Amino acid sequence: MPCTTILVGRNATYDGSTMMARNEDSPSGSFTSKKWIVVNPKDQPRHYQSKLTHFHMDLPEEPLRYTAMPNALPDEGFWGEAGVNEANVAMSETETITSNARVLGADPLVPDGIGEEDMLLLVLPYIRSAREGVLRLGHLLETFGTCELNGIGFQDMEEVWWLESIGGHHWIAKRVPDDRYVVMPNQQGIDEMDLADALGEQKNHMCSRDLADFIRNHHLDLRMNSSTAVSLEDERHFPIRPAFGSKDDADHTYNTPRAWFMLRYLNPTSFRWEGEQADFTPESDNLPWSLVPEQKITVQDVKYLLSSHYQGTAYDCYGHKGDAHTRHLYRPIGINRNNFLALTQLRPYMPKEKAAVEWLAVGCNVFNSFIPFYANVTATPAYLAQTDKNPNSSQFYWASRIIAALADAHFAACSSAIERYQGASFHKAQALLETSDRTPLPEDVTGFLASCNEKMAALAKEETDRCLGQVLYEASNEMKNSFARSDS
């Protein structure tokens, strides 16, 4: 499934939290409605059966409570996508990624293996650290195989990890350095691996147990000096992207431009991003997997990037630079088929009961608002938990979808209303969160946090309804059958 991910280490964020954010996007021509729920232990299945494949397995008896952002309609399975469990461990799944024919020929995908539909439900309720998440999912991949290639994020208050499935049964994972961030479009992204660490101490790297043999036996090492290099088991700087990744023309219009824009925004003066002497362009195959940002990264930065459409460049579909060709040359991050955006923020300076916050937006990110909710609850507000099959403007998902469809068609007329909506929603929600953060915890912790979330949902509804009215008014004035002379 097409998506975009940002991972941020604790020393690269404005407040010392770890942050992990991802858009879930529908495939072209489809729109998947979403809801935000809590899965309590009694509701977690003890035997799991996939809807889309024949995969099934028994699950442990004592799951943790966790939040999830599943499909509103269950016809294609769970698709939990993003959540935090009661141990304050987060998981984001998945970023559909690419590989190459050499890898897939050596280790074909497994039609009845696990996939995006399954992973969050199979992993998040059973882990107490990001590392445990990598190890559990890695074991499942090696045991059952996967039906698709995916990137998956794991996060606790100290570490953020990124795992990539490589072929049907192989995988690699790398810890995001504390002072760095990672940007991921829909392609294999890890650029370099310390195989000695991954096959040994596993301090910052992990992988499937036979990865060195897999590389060796299937001639995946493309270095010119590979025959004289040290043993793969002792290799500290193995170029993993040429071995496992893709290098297709389609990447240059669909994937690398998104990474280029995000890197350009967070490191504007570190490299030359445009022109004949550019270090990196939207079509560069060697974009770095991680960088130290030029300044600490905020929640607002993440929302801006995961809503972006190449603002300030000739590639902006709403812009005035370039021409009709360049403005639609590259796939934007903020696209019409964004289903939702979730940012999990784990805050070490807060009591553990309040540490985990999920910032949520639904529908197209160019036009929606970003609202924070506490994750340590046993139920979620109806405004987010209930999403009907048919459009209903009293629900967050549908109201956001309607706003986007109207505002996109009348971008210039509606842009001020959208800007006011996003600004008001954000600063009012931030103020409400800070008030809740300062309030002492009562004995009924989850009940108190649920009441805070209800207030946040009421704020979101009030601001969203106001925006919908403004956008509807502006769009109505621009209807093609309008006429200047009034009847009254």
Side-chain angles (χ1 to χ4, degrees):
M1 185 168 285
C3 310
T4 310
T5 297
I6 299 176
L7 313 168
V8 192
R10 58 184 174 174
N11 294 339
T13 66
Y14 71 104
D15 66 342
S17 63
T18 56
M19 296 198 301
M20 179 168 66
R22 172 179 155 270
N23 295 343
E24 184 204 46
D25 306 335
S26 295
S28 182
S30 66
F31 303 88
T32 304
S33 56
K34 305 296 291 190
K35 60 184 179 181
W36 185 51
I37 65 168
V38 174
V39 181
N40 290 295
K42 66 181 178 61
D43 300 318
Q44 175 73 356
R46 298 317 192 256
H47 181 82
Y48 177 74
Q49 173 65 62
S50 171
K51 284 279 186 78
L52 297 183
T53 73
H54 294 105
F55 172 78
H56 64 93
M57 68 174 291
D58 290 328
L59 294 172
E61 282 297 325
E62 297 184 0
L64 299 172
R65 182 184 70 241
Y66 63 103
T67 62
M69 201 82 183
N71 290 359
L73 304 178
D75 52 318
E76 291 189 345
F78 188 61
W79 298 81
E81 299 303 325
V84 185
N85 70 24
E86 60 184 290
N88 286 334
V89 178
M91 179 177 176
S92 177
E93 56 91 40
T94 68
E95 186 81 27
T96 303
I97 61 172
T98 55
S99 187
N100 60 64
R102 301 182 306 279
V103 172
L104 293 177
D107 183 15
L109 297 175
V110 180
D112 288 326
I114 62 174
E116 183 173 354
E117 174 196 352
D118 321 303
M119 289 181 181
L120 188 114
L121 185 149
L122 299 179
V123 176
L124 185 58
Y126 309 105
I127 59 175
R128 293 185 176 273
S129 71
R131 286 174 177 268
E132 283 187 20
V134 172
L135 291 170
R136 177 169 173 81
L137 180 55
H139 173 72
L140 292 175
L141 292 170
E142 291 180 36
T143 303
F144 299 105
T146 182
C147 57
E148 57 197 13
L149 297 172
N150 287 308
I152 301 95
F154 295 96
Q155 168 197 18
D156 56 39
M157 277 190 278
E158 295 186 352
E159 297 185 338
V160 183
W161 282 80
W162 181 248
L163 181 150
E164 295 179 338
S165 57
I166 303 298
H169 300 84
H170 291 84
W171 57 277
I172 56 175
K174 188 166 182 174
R175 182 176 181 266
V176 179
D178 290 341
D179 62 346
R180 287 179 172 248
Y181 69 94
V182 167
V183 296
M184 282 295 307
N186 294 113
Q187 60 187 148
Q188 191 268 315
I190 297 175
D191 48 8
E192 184 178 272
M193 285 280 290
D194 183 340
L195 293 180
D197 181 35
L199 296 167
E201 188 178 2
Q202 298 186 334
K203 183 177 180 181
N204 295 302
H205 303 77
M206 289 189 258
C207 66
S208 44
R209 291 166 292 181
D210 66 339
L211 191 69
D213 285 337
F214 181 65
I215 294 171
R216 213 167 13 239
N217 294 341
H218 299 285
H219 315 291
L220 299 175
D221 184 353
L222 301 185
R223 294 173 296 173
M224 289 298 292
N225 64 344
S226 60
S227 61
T228 59
V230 298
S231 167
L232 285 173
E233 287 81 358
D234 298 321
E235 181 58 66
R236 293 288 182 183
H237 302 283
F238 183 75
I240 210 82
R241 193 182 291 170
F244 294 125
S246 61
K247 196 175 181 180
D248 299 333
D249 292 340
D251 286 330
H252 298 156
T253 58
Y254 199 82
N255 288 319
T256 56
R258 284 183 277 158
W260 169 84
F261 184 83
M262 292 186 283
L263 295 169
R264 175 181 179 268
Y265 176 85
L266 295 172
N267 287 81
T269 65
S270 301
F271 304 96
R272 187 171 297 177
W273 299 99
E274 296 177 273
E276 293 184 2
Q277 303 301 317
D279 299 299
F280 301 108
T281 74
E283 300 184 16
S284 294
D285 292 315
N286 61 335
L287 292 170
W289 179 72
S290 70
L291 285 176
V292 177
E294 293 183 16
Q295 63 183 34
K296 292 187 175 183
I297 297 172
T298 67
V299 171
Q300 295 98 315
D301 290 328
V302 174
K303 175 63 168 74
Y304 178 83
L305 287 173
L306 292 181
S307 306
S308 58
H309 41 89
Y310 305 107
Q311 296 95 308
T313 76
Y315 316 118
D316 183 357
C317 57
Y318 299 112
H320 302 287
K321 297 182 178 182
D323 53 33
H325 173 68
T326 59
R327 287 196 289 270
H328 295 278
L329 184 59
Y330 299 134
R331 188 263 208 214
I333 298 171
I335 199 168
N336 64 328
R337 43 196 168 84
N338 294 139
N339 297 332
F340 78 91
L341 161 60
L343 185 158
T344 47
Q345 183 180 17
L346 303 181
R347 308 175 300 167
Y349 52 87
M350 294 299 298
K352 64 179 181 179
E353 296 87 352
K354 292 182 176 179
V357 170
E358 290 189 64
W359 293 79
L360 300 174
V362 286
C364 177
N365 292 336
V366 179
F367 305 101
N368 61 20
S369 64
F370 212 24
I371 307 295
F373 296 93
Y374 291 114
N376 183 24
V377 291
T378 58
T380 56
Y383 190 50
L384 290 86
Q386 296 175 5
T387 302
D388 295 338
K389 179 179 181 180
N390 296 318
N392 183 342
S393 64
S394 67
Q395 297 168 349
F396 196 32
Y397 172 81
W398 285 116
S400 299
R401 276 280 307 278
I402 294 167
I403 288 170
L406 290 169
D408 174 88
H410 306 278
F411 187 82
C414 294
S415 58
S416 293
I418 296 299
E419 184 178 345
R420 289 193 298 270
Y421 167 53
Q422 293 174 334
S425 297
F426 197 93
H427 82 253
K428 290 180 182 180
Q430 185 72 52
L432 189 55
L433 178 64
E434 291 193 10
T435 298
S436 300
D437 281 348
R438 291 193 299 268
T439 303
L441 285 168
E443 185 175 342
D444 180 9
V445 173
T446 58
F448 167 74
L449 296 179
S451 69
C452 294
N453 285 352
E454 291 290 350
K455 294 176 183 177
M456 200 68 77
L459 167 64
K461 187 176 189 309
E462 179 182 0
E463 294 298 329
T464 301
D465 287 348
R466 180 182 292 114
C467 179
L468 178 56
Q470 293 171 338
V471 167
L472 179 60
Y473 171 79
E474 296 293 349
S476 298
N477 282 334
E478 293 200 344
M479 290 174 65
K480 296 187 186 303
N481 61 353
S482 65
F483 199 77
R485 178 177 172 176
S486 179
D487 293 330
S488 59

